[in-house]
Amino acid sequence: MSEVLNVEEIFGSKVFNLGKMRERLPKTVFKEVRKVMEQGGELSKESADVVAKAMKDWAVENGATHYTHWFQPLNGITAEKHDAFVTHPDEEGRMLMEFSGKELIKGEPDASSFPSGGLRATFEARGYTVWDITSPAFLKEDATGVILCIPTAFCSYTGEALDKKTPLLRSMEAINTQALRIVRLFGNTEAKKVVPSVGAEQEYFLVDHEKYLKRPDLIFSGRTLFGAPAPKGQELEDHYFGAIRERIGSYMKDLNIELWKLGVTAKTQHNEVAPAQHELAPIYESANIAVDHNQLVMETMKKVATRHGLNCLLHEKPFAGVNGSGKHDNWSLTTDNGVNLLDPGKTPNENVQFLLVLACVLKAVDTHADLLRQSAADVGNDHRLGADEAPPAIISVFLGEQLDDVVRQLIETGSADHSIQGEKLVTGVSTLTDIERDATDRNRTSPFAFTGNKFEFRSVGSSDSIASPNTTLNAIVAEAFSEAADRLEKADNFDLAVHDLIKEYLTEHQRIIFNGDGYSKEWVEEAARRGLPNIATTIDAASALTTEKAVKLFEKFGIYSKVELESRQEITYETYSKTINIEALTMIDMAKKLYIPAVVDYTKTLADTVKVLREVGADETVQADILKSVSCELAKANTALKGLEAAVAKASAEKNNKAQAYLYKDEVKVEMDKLRKAVDTLETLVDKKVWPVPAYADLIFEV
Ligand code: ADP
Ligand code: MG
């Protein structure tokens, strides 16, 4: 028998959560902390000192030697700089570990090397980290020892957000204020708060670490830049939900344990569509914590993988020809008295508050489809969205049969008098219980799908932070709520006014609803007819950030200022160019130092064979034939290599950020594709024994 795992006991053991605060803090301080968590405001200096000491004592009891302000700069990952609790020794050389309220609340990392998109020149490098009391501190344990991590926001000397968390927190305040106005209109006087709830399903690939180390492309760019397809892909659909192999299972078990200790509710695990692809989903929680936890999930996935001799790939498209990875961002709005504003109930047609919320979401998504698309854009994700893979780059909303029917009734007649109900599902087997069928089936092709009591935003990339998508969602829906509340609060006859408003919003924004196959060519044409944006790449999407409409939206709620938006746009161009540049240089390097020399050797072997055969008078036609086709492809590869070098030289010399990004997209990427094609063809021609890197089949079928 294996050792019994006590999940209840280990869950949250590395988190300084409310329970631990209650145990360790004086009652008055604990109350003060809770109040600030729930209502905002500041802790008094004295209380901050008490909290800091309790936090430090707990951390030290658990082996911590250092603390860090843990933050999320604009590179999309997390940052930490460790400080020991060590203080100045006394006369006799004794030292006491200390941690003050001031150190807890504010930090000043020299942050000049993080991307700031022009927000801050390197000579004015001051940036501050500020404690986010709403996300609990936790312990990170690795070879460095045990580190107390304090979630923080990160801003510049002049107060601009240099991170992903600050705008998210601002957007949560905006949607809280506006959603409260909506629920008040419906007589809810008890709710004090409305919080966006988020559950992010994380997809990932696992490859063998030894093989990974033989692929410079995986090491430098996180994806394979070369590789002929394996004879088998995902066409048999035998991996999705398939039995989990021992090696992967033992990885998943360890991963769960680590996450549970960190208070992450790892809940669901399964094999995904592509071979070597898997998924983990936690239970949803407040958007802010979900964002932090998703970072921990990604980090822990990578860390645990190395312990198992594996490597975790979070790139959106590690392998051509099989599915890429995304991150489904499930989003809903919940009041502190437990009402989910997106719960339609059994008869949505009678649930006016729900219909208003739904109409507002549709309006928000239609008005700001470009921003939503942008919020899920990153270089890796360009291989999914709008490329040969789903979800499409066109943002649309899937409602399902039941809601779609209600919406149609409202648009056509101004009222909805019935809701399609789920029927009994009859299996025809007497020993199987007849179960109730959901009123709505699923649709896997929609980028933004209503799934029962939440929306599932499926465009987000697997490696991306979920902060921006949720910031954008909160912001656009807050705007729609605010405009609706402005009108309804003034209305003489509320019932009539709300009815008119729902009908108006649904009618005006119905073009965003699409329940069909989002992968089809017909939809691309239909969407164009409807005037829906179809934004193919990350750099095309970047312009959405600074339109008049976007600036007005974000400034209205104080989520991003115009300069903050411009900085994010600049960073997008820079990151795009840098990423493609790394990929291109890696390709050049691999072609020159691995592929071409290997093929040159191989042609020599063939030539020698041909020569010998000729000398002994044997038939050399097969060998000569192979030599001819290999040499021909080798010449193509060499030409493509030169083309790529020239394109990189041109793009890297461009000074304007935006123009440079477009050169990488329109010229460098094109040359990269040519080189890949030539090398991949060579791979199919050359003896496997001489091929210098593990093939696709080795990487994805032999984990
Ligand atoms: P599905 O199979 O439709 O994707 P799941 O129940 O597996 O649905 O949920 C997927 C993710 O959505 C999980 O992280 C789950 O916790 C989260 N989720 C479920 N309900 C909500 C909700 N009301 N708001 C936000 N996220 C939710
Ligand atoms: Mg899902």
Side-chain angles (χ1 to χ4, degrees), residues 203-220:
E203 293 179 339
Y204 61 100
F205 278 84
L206 289 174
V207 295
D208 182 84
H209 189 60
E210 292 299 317
K211 290 176 191 155
Y212 168 89
L213 290 177
K214 295 196 179 115
R215 298 273 327 203
D217 46 1
L218 285 180
I219 295 175
F220 295 125

Side-chain angles (χ1 to χ4, degrees), residues 43-44 94 285 400 403 408 438 465 492 596 637 652 668 688:
L43 275 192
S44 68
R94 264 186 318 247
E285 51 201 337
L403 282 190
R408 296 289 150 220
D438 289 307
S465 158
D492 296 328
I596 293 181
S652 56
V668 176
K688 183 169 166 66

Side-chain angles (χ1 to χ4, degrees), residues 424-647:
K424 282 255 187 279
L425 181 86
V426 184
T427 58
V429 180
S430 63
T431 50
L432 291 178
T433 321
D434 286 345
I435 55 171
E436 198 124 328
R437 199 174 70 179
D438 289 307
T440 294
D441 198 4
R442 290 169 181 266
N443 174 314
R444 290 278 166 215
T445 66
S446 175
F448 199 80
F450 185 75
T451 45
N453 61 3
K454 59 182 158 79
F455 276 100
E456 187 169 332
F457 184 25
R458 304 206 182 108
S459 309
V460 186
S462 50
S463 70
D464 214 2
S465 158
I466 53 167
S468 304
N470 287 298
T471 303
T472 302
L473 255 173
N474 294 339
I476 64 176
V477 176
E479 183 188 58
F481 281 170
S482 147
E483 285 168 17
D486 284 347
R487 266 171 61 183
L488 296 175
E489 281 163 1
K490 280 194 259 150
D492 296 328
N493 183 334
F494 173 73
D495 289 343
L496 210 63
V498 73
H499 176 268
D500 287 351
L501 191 103
I502 292 172
K503 182 168 184 221
E504 178 189 317
Y505 281 10
L506 293 179
T507 311
E508 258 174 47
H509 300 285
Q510 56 181 310
R511 66 171 184 169
I512 198 72
I513 303 170
F514 179 63
N515 293 307
D517 178 3
Y519 301 174
S520 65
K521 210 171 87 256
E522 292 74 35
W523 169 232
V524 175
E525 288 155 14
E526 167 65 16
R529 272 194 297 277
R530 293 189 192 184
L532 297 175
N534 183 358
I535 307 170
T537 70
T538 294
I539 49 173
D540 297 320
S543 43
L545 281 169
T546 50
T547 60
E548 207 175 304
K549 163 175 83 83
V551 175
K552 188 169 150 251
L553 160 76
F554 287 122
E555 286 200 330
K556 172 171 177 176
F557 299 106
I559 295 170
Y560 292 111
S561 64
K562 186 156 185 257
V563 278
E564 286 172 338
L565 288 166
E566 285 163 350
S567 72
R568 276 142 185 88
Q569 193 178 49
E570 279 303 299
I571 291 172
T572 305
Y573 296 136
E574 278 172 23
T575 311
Y576 188 88
S577 298
K578 286 179 187 165
T579 309
I580 306 290
N581 191 55
I582 292 170
E583 291 187 347
L585 294 183
T586 305
M587 289 186 83
I588 292 171
D589 203 56
M590 286 176 79
K592 274 192 180 164
K593 298 195 181 135
L594 292 171
Y595 297 122
I596 293 181
V599 180
V600 167
D601 279 354
Y602 184 58
T603 50
K604 169 144 192 330
T605 312
L606 283 171
D608 289 348
T609 315
V610 171
K611 196 168 153 233
V612 172
L613 288 172
R614 234 176 242 162
E615 277 165 14
V616 300
D619 179 10
E620 86 284 2
T621 42
V622 174
Q623 290 79 354
D625 200 36
I626 299 176
L627 178 58
K628 201 169 148 206
S629 35
V630 171
S631 300
C632 169
E633 284 304 319
L634 181 61
K636 280 192 205 159
N638 200 42
T639 311
L641 174 65
K642 296 212 174 93
L644 180 55
E645 284 179 320

Side-chain angles (χ1 to χ4, degrees), residues 48-70:
D49 280 331
V50 177
V51 176
K53 179 163 185 318
M55 206 185 259
K56 186 259 315 178
D57 288 347
W58 167 77
V60 171
E61 281 164 34
N62 284 282
T65 52
H66 293 68
Y67 73 93
T68 182
H69 276 195
W70 185 74

